Protein backbone atom coordinates (compact mmCIF):
# COMPACT_ATOMS: atom_id res chain seq x y z
CA UNK A 1 0.00 0.00 0.00
CA UNK A 2 2.87 2.38 0.79
CA UNK A 3 4.48 1.81 -2.61
CA UNK A 4 1.14 2.26 -4.39
CA UNK A 5 0.51 5.46 -2.45
CA UNK A 6 3.99 6.80 -3.26
CA UNK A 7 3.36 6.16 -6.96
CA UNK A 8 0.13 8.09 -6.76
CA UNK A 9 1.89 10.97 -5.02
CA UNK A 10 4.53 11.03 -7.76
CA UNK A 11 1.83 11.37 -10.40
CA UNK A 12 0.32 14.46 -8.76
CA UNK A 13 3.04 16.62 -10.32
CA UNK A 14 2.51 16.58 -14.11
CA UNK A 15 6.20 17.37 -14.71
CA UNK A 16 7.43 14.33 -12.79
CA UNK A 17 7.89 11.58 -15.42
CA UNK A 18 6.18 8.27 -14.82
CA UNK A 19 7.96 5.15 -16.05
CA UNK A 20 5.71 2.75 -17.93
CA UNK A 21 7.16 -0.56 -19.11
CA UNK A 22 6.33 -2.00 -22.52
CA UNK A 23 5.20 -5.60 -22.46
CA UNK A 24 7.45 -7.96 -24.44
CA UNK A 25 4.58 -8.72 -26.82
CA UNK A 26 3.39 -5.11 -27.17
CA UNK A 27 2.13 -4.12 -30.61
CA UNK A 28 4.05 -0.85 -30.13
CA UNK A 29 7.38 -2.67 -30.59
CA UNK A 30 8.79 -1.79 -34.00
CA UNK A 31 6.52 1.25 -34.33
CA UNK A 32 7.78 4.80 -34.13
CA UNK A 33 6.46 7.25 -31.57
CA UNK A 34 4.70 9.04 -34.42
CA UNK A 35 3.09 5.84 -35.72
CA UNK A 36 1.86 4.97 -32.24
CA UNK A 37 -0.05 8.27 -31.99
CA UNK A 38 0.83 8.10 -28.29
CA UNK A 39 -0.08 11.68 -27.43
CA UNK A 40 -3.26 11.61 -29.53
CA UNK A 41 -4.42 8.45 -27.75
CA UNK A 42 -3.40 9.36 -24.20
CA UNK A 43 -2.74 13.08 -23.77
CA UNK A 44 0.61 12.16 -22.14
CA UNK A 45 3.92 13.31 -23.60
CA UNK A 46 6.90 11.00 -23.97
CA UNK A 47 9.94 12.80 -22.54
CA UNK A 48 12.29 9.84 -22.58
CA UNK A 49 12.77 6.14 -23.08
CA UNK A 50 14.77 3.99 -20.70
CA UNK A 51 16.53 1.37 -22.78
CA UNK A 52 18.68 -0.94 -20.72
CA UNK A 53 21.02 1.24 -18.66
CA UNK A 54 20.59 4.23 -20.99
CA UNK A 55 17.96 6.93 -20.96
CA UNK A 56 17.16 8.58 -24.27
CA UNK A 57 15.85 12.05 -23.44
CA UNK A 58 13.47 13.84 -25.76
CA UNK A 59 13.18 11.06 -28.34
CA UNK A 60 12.08 12.25 -31.75
CA UNK A 61 8.94 11.09 -33.55
CA UNK A 62 10.90 8.58 -35.64
CA UNK A 63 12.34 6.65 -32.67
CA UNK A 64 11.04 3.08 -32.68
CA UNK A 65 10.02 1.18 -29.59
CA UNK A 66 12.10 -1.90 -28.75
CA UNK A 67 11.52 -4.86 -26.43
CA UNK A 68 12.33 -3.97 -22.84
CA UNK A 69 11.78 -0.23 -23.33
CA UNK A 70 10.33 1.75 -20.47
CA UNK A 71 8.47 4.89 -21.54
CA UNK A 72 9.01 8.04 -19.47
CA UNK A 73 5.87 10.14 -19.83
CA UNK A 74 4.51 13.32 -18.28
CA UNK A 75 0.98 14.55 -17.98
CA UNK A 76 -1.86 14.90 -15.54
CA UNK A 77 -3.06 11.91 -13.56
CA UNK A 78 -5.80 11.06 -16.09
CA UNK A 79 -3.47 11.12 -19.09
CA UNK A 80 -0.90 8.94 -17.30
CA UNK A 81 -3.66 6.46 -16.49
CA UNK A 82 -4.76 6.51 -20.15
CA UNK A 83 -1.13 5.93 -21.17
CA UNK A 84 -0.86 2.90 -18.88
CA UNK A 85 -4.10 1.48 -20.27
CA UNK A 86 -3.08 2.24 -23.87
CA UNK A 87 0.26 0.47 -23.47
CA UNK A 88 -1.34 -2.46 -21.68
CA UNK A 89 -4.18 -2.94 -24.18
CA UNK A 90 -2.58 -2.23 -27.52
Amino acid sequence: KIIDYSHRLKSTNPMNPMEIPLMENSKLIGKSISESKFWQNTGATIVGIRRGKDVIFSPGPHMEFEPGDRILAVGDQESIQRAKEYIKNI
Side-chain angles (χ1 to χ4, degrees), residues 72-87:
L72 303 172
V74 295
D76 61 26
Q77 196 167 11
E78 290 82 21
S79 62
I80 294 299
Q81 186 59 41
R82 283 192 301 270
K84 289 178 181 179
E85 290 296 319
Y86 179 68
I87 290 169

Side-chain angles (χ1 to χ4, degrees), residues 36-55:
S36 75
K37 298 191 182 298
F38 189 86
W39 182 83
Q40 292 88 337
N41 285 296
T42 68
T45 300
I46 296 174
V47 296
I49 295 177
R50 185 179 304 277
R51 187 169 285 164
K53 293 181 180 180
D54 298 325
V55 177

Side-chain angles (χ1 to χ4, degrees), residues 19-57:
E19 190 169 306
I20 309 167
L22 279 182
M23 303 301 289
E24 291 295 321
N25 60 348
S26 173
K27 293 181 182 175
L28 289 178
I29 294 172
K31 287 187 178 182
S32 70
I33 292 173
S34 177
E35 289 173 319
S36 75
K37 298 191 182 298
F38 189 86
W39 182 83
Q40 292 88 337
N41 285 296
T42 68
T45 300
I46 296 174
V47 296
I49 295 177
R50 185 179 304 277
R51 187 169 285 164
K53 293 181 180 180
D54 298 325
V55 177
I56 302 157
F57 291 103

